[in-house]
Amino acid sequence: MRRFPELDIDTIRATRDALHAYARVPGDLLKLQRPRRKHWWHASLRPSLTGLTTDVIHGRVDYEIELNLRDSAFCARTATGGQLHEALHGQPAAELALKLSNFLESEGATGRDAAAGAADRFPDYSQYAAAKLGQAFSAAAGAMAGFRAGIREETSPIQLWPHHFDLSMIWLPGAKIPGEDPADEEHSDKQMNFGFVFGDEGIDEPYFYVTAHPLPEELTAVELPAGTVWKSDGFSGAVLLYKDLLAMDDPAAYLQGLWSRLYAAGRVYLKTDETRERA
């Protein structure tokens, strides 16, 4: 059974906010340097063995950027052997962005677009908390990978959105929303989003969520297992607090059951008549 670590919001909050700021540095770079993919999949980070990575960014010189949560380090390396390693200790994201930009320029890669990031410092940053957050990401990503393997239709990568700092996997049933421009896939594709976030302005503690676009009334009538509730303020979807997941006898099995139940309902209520016939 994959282990989900204990997370106390008062202990992780400052570190969460710092890592959120740090993740935006490579995220902003990806928007400009990677060829566009639908649903902004080109601008997201991917889970790695030690944290989060851009994977390879191709250019004049290929390179990769990693946010190492296990060891609290901001790293970059190029195909020509260059390496950048900056220990994380709560410094401003702008400082990391400037060092990354200078490094990429010195290696012959495009780096001018990396000079961004916020100037705030995070004096309460904790390497221990960062490692805990990395363990939680890894556990959530592992559960998502197992769930994703059983889905027949198209899915997104398991990805970290730098702007919201949430881990996400999107399921696309293959149907369009009537009346929307089909060329605008972000708004016209029917979809379900299975995600995990360490807390935000709406819910200031770690939680899992499942949303749909559009959200059929029939879906919100689906009975949820004890511990998960339907939420309608701020955003509409199913919400499971991380602390409630830890109270389950088998957290990974609970997640698989929750996601599978909502996915099965989505296959009924999100598909058009045509796609239902092909299923």
Side-chain angles (χ1 to χ4, degrees):
M1 180 176 65
R2 188 173 291 271
R3 186 170 183 271
F4 289 83
E6 296 280 349
L7 295 178
D8 175 67
I9 184 57
D10 293 327
T11 302
I12 69 169
R13 184 181 287 110
T15 303
R16 172 200 69 187
D17 293 345
L19 294 174
H20 187 180
Y22 300 157
R24 287 181 173 178
V25 174
D28 288 344
L29 191 62
L30 286 172
K31 292 178 185 178
L32 299 169
Q33 299 299 326
R34 178 169 282 164
R36 186 188 184 280
R37 293 191 63 193
K38 64 182 181 180
H39 296 285
W40 295 89
W41 294 347
H42 61 290
S44 58
L45 303 177
R46 308 286 189 265
S48 70
L49 283 176
T50 60
L52 300 164
T53 177
T54 59
D55 285 336
V56 178
I57 300 173
H58 299 286
R60 288 182 295 175
V61 174
D62 294 346
Y63 62 95
E64 180 180 12
I65 305 167
E66 183 176 44
L67 188 59
N68 184 328
L69 306 185
R70 184 191 65 192
D71 303 321
S72 277
F74 186 87
C75 308
R77 59 181 181 271
T78 67
T80 53
Q83 294 192 39
L84 172 72
H85 186 283
E86 289 293 323
L88 297 177
H89 49 78
Q91 66 267 55
E95 182 179 310
L96 294 175
L98 181 58
K99 289 184 177 181
L100 175 63
S101 179
N102 292 338
F103 167 73
L104 293 177
E105 288 283 7
S106 70
E107 292 293 314
T110 301
R112 61 183 182 278
D113 298 315
D120 295 336
R121 292 185 176 275
F122 304 92
D124 295 325
Y125 177 87
S126 163
Q127 295 184 1
Y128 177 77
K132 285 288 188 181
L133 296 181
Q135 292 169 21
F137 266 148
S138 178
M144 284 183 187
F147 169 62
R148 181 187 182 212
I151 295 179
R152 293 162 51 183
E153 301 85 6
E154 183 181 13
T155 59
S156 74
I158 296 171
Q159 54 195 339
L160 184 283
W161 293 113
H163 66 284
H164 188 230
F165 205 53
D166 59 321
L167 193 68
S168 165
M169 192 279 293
I170 296 173
W171 165 58
L172 299 171
K176 293 289 185 179
I177 300 173
E180 295 287 347
D181 179 5
D184 180 8
E185 84 287 341
E186 187 174 358
H187 296 98
S188 66
D189 282 352
K190 291 187 176 183
Q191 57 195 274
M192 287 187 76
N193 187 0
F194 302 82
F196 170 60
V197 62
F198 288 124
D200 50 32
E201 294 181 356
I203 304 176
D204 189 28
E205 62 178 296
Y207 67 93
F208 291 85
Y209 65 86
V210 180
T211 61
H213 175 65
L215 182 62
E217 290 185 6
E218 299 93 335
L219 189 61
T220 60
V222 172
E223 184 178 356
L224 299 174
T228 302
V229 298
W230 288 108
K231 182 181 184 297
S232 59
D233 57 312
F235 71 90
S236 296
V239 170
L240 166 66
L241 297 181
Y242 185 85
K243 64 184 180 185
D244 291 336
L245 175 69
L246 294 189
M248 305 299 172
D249 292 335
D250 189 339
Y254 179 94
L255 273 179
Q256 295 289 334
L258 171 65
W259 290 338
S260 295
R261 180 179 301 191
L262 290 172
Y263 164 64
R267 295 192 83 239
V268 175
Y269 300 126
L270 280 175
K271 289 193 171 190
T272 62
D273 291 339
E274 179 183 359
T275 53
R276 288 182 196 177
E277 290 174 3
R278 292 201 304 262

